């Protein structure tokens, strides 16, 4: 059997892979040839949805790659719309840390009406676990997934993401790791996730919301620790816009040289928040903060009530604007 590839040409027909009750279907990187095309370059992948494909469901399959350096991804979408990935397993080798630049699941869409769903899946032993890219107006859901022993947890770019109820545990296998990353999003939600990102040696970002606004960041539990820079929750504000932070718990551990439970990159926007717990138990050489604010901006806190801030160092918080 070769790799699985779908296309949008009129001569193509629906492709269905089913399993019987009690059976396990395993797709591996030795299934060639399927390719994803990006910037007119073909990359080997196990399963690919070509541009223009729509309304695909991948359910209950197991994708295994013993050597991710031989393939670019396990599941690739080149501008496919409305893809649902449910109850699947994506697994790399124990030695995955040396197999860089491979992405387990890479879903890209150029349509503002796209609505993809990744739910109930397991991602294990992977360098990049999941990457979703959508334009303005595109929506996608990443929910109830388990991310285990990874260098980087789910990454999302653009669109309106909903990232809910995921459990992310990074590996202790690299010089830096990151739990959840959201970039260039508008009016999304990051809620009910658990992130455990701790390194014996290195830098850690627990959860990142960058160049985004209108985000609801609620009920997340984040633990981050290391020996270099360690930031639990990173939120970047944008001019004349808001992000909402409620009921989050962030805990910093280890011996970082610079650390903050919450790091705010102030660029003119403001935060609305309440009932957050921001604790820094680190004891690094340069101290640690419960909250750190940076950038030439007005007060980044629109309302900020009933929050619990604590640090084992001298200064509770830091700001560098006037």
């Amino acid at each position: 059997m070769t790799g699985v590839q779908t296309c949008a040409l009129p001569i193509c027909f629906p492709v269905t892979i089913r399993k019987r009750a009690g059976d396990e279907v395993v797709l591996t990187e030795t299934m060639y040839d399927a390719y994803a095309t990006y910037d007119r370059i073909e990359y080997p992948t196990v399963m690919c949805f070509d541009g223009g494909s729509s309304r695909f469901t991948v359910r209950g399959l197991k994708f295994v790659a013993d050597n991710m350096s031989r393939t670019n991804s396990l599941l690739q979408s080149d501008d496919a719309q409305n893809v649902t990935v449910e109850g699947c397993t994506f697994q790399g080798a124990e030695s995955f840390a040396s197999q860089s630049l491979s992405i387990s699941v890479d879903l890209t869409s150029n349509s503002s009406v796209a609505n993809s769903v990744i739910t109930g899946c397991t991602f294990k032993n992977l360098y990049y676990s999941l990457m979703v890219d959508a334009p303005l107006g595109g929506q996608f859901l990443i929910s109830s997934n388990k991310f285990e022993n990874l260098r980087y947890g789910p990454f999302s770019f653009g669109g309106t993401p909903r990232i809910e109820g995921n459990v992310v545990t990074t590996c202790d296998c690299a010089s830096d790791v990151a739990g959840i990353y959201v970039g260039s999003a508008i009016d999304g939600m990051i809620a009910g996730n658990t992130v455990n990102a701790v390194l014996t040696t290195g830098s850690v970002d627990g959860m990142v919301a960058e160049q985004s606004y209108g985000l609801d960041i609620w009920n997340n539990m984040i633990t981050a620790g290391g020996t270099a820079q360690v930031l639990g929750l990173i939120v970047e504000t944008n001019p004349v816009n808001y992000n909402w932070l409620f009921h989050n718990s962030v805990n910093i551990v280890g011996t970082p040289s610079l650390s903050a439970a919450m790091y705010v990159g102030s660029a003119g926007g403001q935060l609305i928040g309440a009932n957050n717990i921001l604790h820094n138990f680190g004891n690094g050489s340069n101290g640690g903060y419960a909250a750190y604010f940076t950038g030439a901006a007005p007060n980044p806190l629109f309302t900020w009530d009933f929050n619990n801030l604590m640090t084992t160092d001298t200064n509770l918080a830091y700001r560098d604007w006037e």
Side-chain angles (χ1 to χ4, degrees), residues 35-292:
Y35 291 92
T37 303
Y38 183 77
D39 286 346
R40 299 183 180 181
I41 301 174
E42 289 187 332
Y43 296 94
T45 183
V46 174
M47 181 180 288
C48 174
F49 299 135
D50 272 355
S53 301
S54 182
R55 296 190 298 276
F56 281 94
T57 298
V58 182
R59 180 180 293 119
L61 299 181
K62 185 174 183 179
F63 296 74
V64 177
D66 292 328
N67 186 353
M68 282 293 284
S69 64
R70 296 188 304 196
T71 183
N72 187 65
S73 60
L74 295 176
L75 176 61
Q76 178 89 23
S77 164
D78 180 22
D79 194 23
Q81 314 302 322
N82 304 316
V83 174
T84 297
V85 183
E86 179 182 346
C88 293
T89 297
F90 302 92
Q91 182 173 323
E94 293 291 339
S95 59
F96 74 93
S98 62
Q99 301 169 13
S100 62
L101 302 181
S102 295
I103 304 169
S104 172
V105 177
D106 187 359
L107 303 181
T108 299
S109 173
N110 295 320
S111 172
S112 61
V113 298
N115 188 3
S116 293
V117 175
I118 304 95
T119 185
C121 295
T122 297
F123 299 80
K124 186 176 182 180
N125 301 343
L126 297 163
Y127 194 97
Y128 287 102
S129 57
L130 171 64
M131 190 170 292
V132 181
D133 195 344
L136 180 66
Q139 300 185 25
F140 53 90
L141 172 66
I142 302 172
S143 72
S144 304
N145 300 288
K146 184 181 292 185
F147 298 84
E148 302 176 350
N149 198 37
L150 311 156
R151 184 165 185 178
Y152 300 115
F155 274 43
S156 76
F157 298 91
T160 301
R162 289 172 52 201
I163 303 176
E164 305 172 359
N166 301 283
V167 178
V168 181
T169 304
T170 60
C171 67
D172 190 6
C173 65
S175 59
D176 66 273
V177 296
I180 295 175
Y181 177 91
V182 175
S184 302
I186 299 176
D187 298 333
M189 176 175 286
I190 312 172
N193 301 285
T194 300
V195 174
N196 185 32
V198 179
L199 284 177
T200 301
T201 303
S203 300
V204 174
D205 293 337
M207 180 181 292
V208 181
E210 191 172 57
Q211 297 180 351
S212 302
Y213 61 87
L215 292 181
D216 290 322
I217 304 175
W218 292 7
N219 296 323
N220 299 286
M221 297 185 65
I222 303 167
T223 299
T227 58
Q229 178 174 288
V230 177
L231 305 175
L233 173 60
I234 303 173
V235 182
E236 184 177 67
T237 64
N238 284 277
V240 201
N241 286 290
Y242 302 95
N243 287 313
W244 285 263
L245 279 71
F246 289 89
H247 313 298
N248 298 287
S249 255
V250 185
N251 184 34
I252 298 294
V253 297
T255 58
S257 58
L258 175 64
S259 64
M262 181 180 73
Y263 181 94
V264 179
S266 303
Q270 293 182 301
L271 301 179
I272 298 173
N275 298 325
N276 297 286
I277 299 173
L278 305 173
H279 285 189
N280 191 333
F281 287 94
N283 57 353
S285 58
N286 292 332
Y289 304 93
Y292 190 108

